[in-house]
Every structure is written in structure tokens, then in C-alpha cells.
């Protein structure tokens, strides 16, 4: 690399511009690939974009913190986007009026199944205590999951990774699992994706339709609340 | 676009304030979602501008999860050393949760014929 190019890179490597631009570029490239290949979930756009960015950061020796300085502008929009989920939910009002007792029962069951099964599987396969505890709140939205991990003695940043992996698994295999289990009702499909895989599951549910998307969005908040209350309680019983 | 975005941010702001005032175990944006939902209930319909802005934002919902997901790279070492328990727990628990909750909802809730459930 010539010294000119090198000094340009030194400037770019520390500027927020690179993190932000690479995020938008990777997302659009991943979306293009996803559409081009017939919307195959194995080419989940989040997964593909993340793989491209991680590869780029590792190849250029850029730290995650430097990348996030730029990418935080996109990350910030998660807040207003979560608020926006109230709109598809409102469109489902007639359905919601009759469905809410079932929704509550399913969410409570789901919050327990998700955390207990994750802890049981990781523990029985010899996972260390910090891994097992970091896995307990993995099915809920990141801010709640990190708060719960902190309270029960897990590692919050590791929990954030588990939450992301859980989201990817739900988004990539969710539709197929629901087909195999013969779950056809859109409200049930969306609710299941939102309970098991929070916001990333909701992205997948929104692709299925507005009803599925609305019930998945509803599940994010309810499952988060149930988990925030139940998981610390269950851990204290075991101890 | 801009007034709608402001409404979303105001709901989030109100959510953050409420969470701190009441010590709720919820993130501000989730409480903001509840506030916007109650606002829509009170108003009785979704303003057209808000509907369009929300469609644009949720149409690119996947983009917003990328920056946090790239954080996986920080923990690649830990994940690798305990790959089996992590992979089995994440995959097994997610599959089980989807099957149990999907089947349970379908058996508990029967929509009427005219409802597009």
C-alpha cells in the first residue's frame, strides 16, 4: 500500500463513516443475495451481512468497538422500531380481544420451556456455570436478557451473543419447524417465533404476514416480562 | 415521515422515563410500544403518515439487528471452547420452544371463520 492510501486508511479506520457504510452495504448485498436465491432462509440476510462484516473487520484488524462507533447510528433505530411494533399490533385488535387469554398462557409456558430447556441441555453436556447462566435468558430481547444475566450471575455480553444465535436459529429454521409441527394458524406461528426468538424471530414472522408479525411483536414484550420475573426466581430455587 | 418519527421517539422517551420512575424490569422501547398502543386505542385509528413510516421502518427491521450481532466476534474464543453445550442448548431449546408454543396456541385459540387469524 502506498503511503497516500495508507494515510487515507488510517483516517477511515477510526472514523464512524466506515462502520456505518459497511453496515448498509453489507445489508443491501445480503438482501440482494436473499431475493436472488428465492428467499432461502439458509441465506438469512442478518446472518450473511454479519458474516461479511466480521470477515472484513478481522481481515483489516479493526476492533468491534471502532466498528460500533459508526454502526451505533443504525443500532439506535432499534428503539423507535420496537415502539413501531404497536401499529401492526393495533391492526390485529379484533383478533387480540378474543385471543389474549390464550396468548398469556402460551407466553408463560414458553418463557419457562425456553429457559429451563436451555439450562438443562447446556448443563447436562458439561457447560461451565458462566455459560449455563448466560444461556438462561437467551430467548428474550437483548436489554432484558442482559439485565437478567447480570442478576443471576451470568456474563451480560456473552448473553447478548446467545440471544443473537437464538434469534438466527429461530429465523432460519422457524418456518420449517412450524411446518413440520403442522402449526398453520398465522397467530400461532408468529407468537411461537416471537417467544422463542424475540426481535429476529419477529423479522421472520413479518415476512410471513401482518398477523404473524403482530403476534411475534406482542410476544417480545410479554416473554421479556415473564422471563425477567421467572428466571431469577427459578435460579434462586435451584441454589 | 418526520412527525411520525417524532411520535415514535416521544413514546420511547416516555417509556424510558416510566421504566426509571417505577423501576420496571423492562426496556424503555417495550414500554414505549405499550404507550403507542394505548394512544392508538384512544384515537381509534392509525394516522396515515404513521402507518407509512412504520411500514418503511419495519420493512428494514433486519438491518437494525446487524450492529449488535457483529458483537459475536468479541466472544468467538469462548463460544469455540464450549461449542457443543452452546450449540445444543441454543438449537434444542429454540426448536422445543417453537414446537410447544406453536402447538399450544393452535389448540387453545380457534379463530372464527371470518377472522384472518
Amino acid at each position: 500500500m502506498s503511503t497516500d492510501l495508507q494515510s487515507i486508511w488510517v483516517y477511515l479506520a477510526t472514523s464512524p463513516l466506515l462502520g456505518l457504510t459497511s453496515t448498509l452495504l453489507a445489508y443491501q448485498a445480503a438482501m440482494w443475495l436473499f431475493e436472488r436465491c428465492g428467499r432461502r432462509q439458509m441465506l438469512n440476510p442478518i446472518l450473511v451481512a454479519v458474516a461479511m462484516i466480521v470477515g472484513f473487520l478481522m481481515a483489516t484488524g479493526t476492533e468491534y468497538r471502532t466498528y460500533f462507533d459508526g454502526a451505533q447510528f443504525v443500532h439506535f433505530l432499534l428503539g423507535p422500531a420496537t415502539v413501531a411494533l404497536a401499529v401492526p399490533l393495533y391492526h390485529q385488535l379484533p383478533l387480540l380481544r378474543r385471543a389474549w387469554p390464550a396468548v398469556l398462557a402460551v407466553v408463560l409456558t414458553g418463557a419457562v420451556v425456553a429457559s429451563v430447556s436451555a439450562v438443562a441441555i447446556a448443563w447436562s453436556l458439561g457447560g461451565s456455570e458462566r455459560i449455563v447462566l448466560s444461556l438462561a435468558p437467551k430467548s428474550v430481547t437483548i436489554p432484558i436478557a442482559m439485565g437478567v444475566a447480570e442478576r443471576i450471575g451470568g456474563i451480560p455480553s456473552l448473553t447478548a451473543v446467545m440471544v443473537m444465535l437464538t434469534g438466527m436459529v429461530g429465523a432460519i429454521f422457524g418456518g420449517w419447524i412450524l411446518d413440520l409441527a403442522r402449526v398453520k394458524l398465522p397467530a400461532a406461528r408468529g407468537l411461537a417465533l416471537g417467544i422463542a426468538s424475540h426481535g429476529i424471530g419477529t423479522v421472520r414472522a413479518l415476512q410471513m404476514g401482518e398477523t404473524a408479525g403482530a403476534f411475534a411483536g406482542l410476544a417480545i414484550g410479554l416473554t421479556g416480562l415473564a422471563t425477567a420475573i421467572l428466571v431469577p426466581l427459578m435460579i434462586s430455587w435451584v441454589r | 415521515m418526520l412527525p411520525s418519527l417524532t411520535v415514535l421517539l416521544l413514546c420511547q422517551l416516555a417509556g424510558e422515563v416510566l421504566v426509571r420512575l417505577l423501576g420496571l424490569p423492562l426496556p424503555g422501547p417495550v414500554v414505549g410500544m405499550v404507550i403507542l398502543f394505548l394512544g392508538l386505542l384512544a384515537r381509534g385509528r392509525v394516522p396515515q403518515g404513521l402507518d407509512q413510516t412504520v411500514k418503511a421502518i419495519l420493512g428494514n427491521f433486519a438491518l437494525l439487528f446487524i450492529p449488535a450481532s457483529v458483537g459475536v466476534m468479541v466472544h468467538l474464543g469462548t463460544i469455540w471452547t464450549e461449542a457443543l453445550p452452546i450449540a445444543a442448548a441454543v438449537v434444542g431449546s429454540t426448536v422445543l420452544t417453537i414446537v410447544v408454543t406453536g402447538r399450544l396456541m393452535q389448540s387453545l385459540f380457534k379463530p372464527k371463520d371470518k377472522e384472518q387469524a
Side-chain angles (χ1 to χ4, degrees):
Chain A
M1 215 188 277
S2 76
T3 45
D4 273 357
L5 277 176
Q6 203 152 12
S7 61
I8 291 173
W9 171 250
V10 167
Y11 165 73
L12 280 180
T14 57
S15 136
L17 186 61
L18 203 63
L20 183 57
T21 314
S22 61
T23 304
L24 293 178
L25 274 177
Y27 171 69
Q28 287 174 72
M31 279 310 283
W32 179 84
L33 191 71
F34 180 62
E35 297 290 350
R36 191 73 201 236
C37 298
R39 304 174 76 88
R40 235 180 264 271
Q41 283 301 323
M42 282 312 289
L43 291 172
N44 181 283
I46 304 177
L47 183 68
V48 171
V50 168
M52 285 195 279
I53 296 168
V54 169
F56 171 71
L57 296 180
M58 284 182 154
T60 56
T62 311
E63 277 194 47
Y64 176 62
R65 206 180 311 163
T66 314
Y67 160 78
F68 196 78
D69 274 345
Q72 62 175 322
F73 301 109
V74 169
H75 179 74
F76 175 78
L77 290 172
L78 259 184
T82 304
V83 175
L85 288 169
V87 171
L89 190 60
Y90 180 79
H91 288 314
Q92 301 300 319
L93 197 58
L95 199 57
L96 203 60
R97 283 215 167 97
R98 292 204 314 111
W100 70 266
V103 168
L104 287 188
V106 174
V107 163
L108 280 175
T109 309
V112 173
V113 169
S115 51
V116 170
S117 64
V119 165
I121 294 172
W123 183 75
S124 66
L125 289 173
S128 61
E129 192 181 345
R130 57 177 194 151
I131 291 285
V132 172
L133 289 175
S134 301
L135 274 164
K138 64 155 186 47
S139 281
V140 301
T141 187
I142 279 195
I144 298 183
M146 290 177 80
V148 172
E150 207 169 347
R151 275 177 68 190
I152 63 175
I155 306 161
S157 65
L158 194 59
T159 292
V161 173
M162 305 305 173
V163 172
M164 286 306 169
L165 294 176
T166 302
M168 300 293 186
V169 170
I172 293 172
F173 301 109
W176 181 69
I177 296 165
L178 287 166
D179 288 343
L180 272 185
R182 272 169 287 152
V183 179
K184 295 188 180 112
L185 196 70
R189 290 170 72 91
L191 196 67
L193 286 175
I195 291 171
S197 296
H198 53 91
I200 300 183
T202 303
V203 171
R204 178 74 185 97
L206 281 165
Q207 290 171 357
M208 293 173 173
E210 199 184 28
T211 307
F215 276 80
L218 175 65
I220 298 176
L222 291 178
T223 312
L225 184 61
T227 304
I229 296 166
L230 291 176
V231 166
L233 263 180
M234 290 192 291
I235 297 280
S236 69
W237 290 338
V238 179
R239 279 208 172 113
Chain B
M1 176 85 193
L2 211 52
S4 308
L5 197 57
T6 313
V7 166
L8 295 178
L9 288 172
L10 278 174
C11 289
Q12 187 183 350
L13 189 69
E16 299 284 3
V17 171
L18 267 181
V19 164
R20 276 159 188 76
L21 274 181
L22 305 175
L24 299 174
L26 284 173
V30 170
V31 177
M33 186 206 313
V34 175
I35 294 172
L36 180 59
F37 185 74
L38 294 177
L40 292 173
L41 275 184
R43 187 164 173 150
R45 63 177 188 89
V46 182
Q48 205 191 357
L50 182 65
D51 214 28
Q52 283 167 354
T53 305
V54 166
K55 280 212 174 81
I57 293 179
L58 293 183
N60 288 300
F61 202 25
L63 166 69
L64 313 184
F65 289 92
I66 294 172
S69 301
V70 174
V72 166
M73 67 184 280
V74 178
H75 286 286
L76 280 180
T78 314
I79 296 172
W80 197 242
T81 53
E82 301 203 41
L84 178 66
I86 292 176
V90 166
V91 174
S93 156
T94 306
V95 171
L96 184 69
T97 307
I98 290 177
V99 171
V100 169
T101 56
R103 296 287 313 182
L104 186 63
M105 182 65 183
Q106 198 165 252
S107 65
L108 287 181
F109 181 64
K110 305 282 180 215
K112 293 170 186 155
D113 288 342
K114 62 187 168 82
E115 281 175 342
Q116 291 294 307

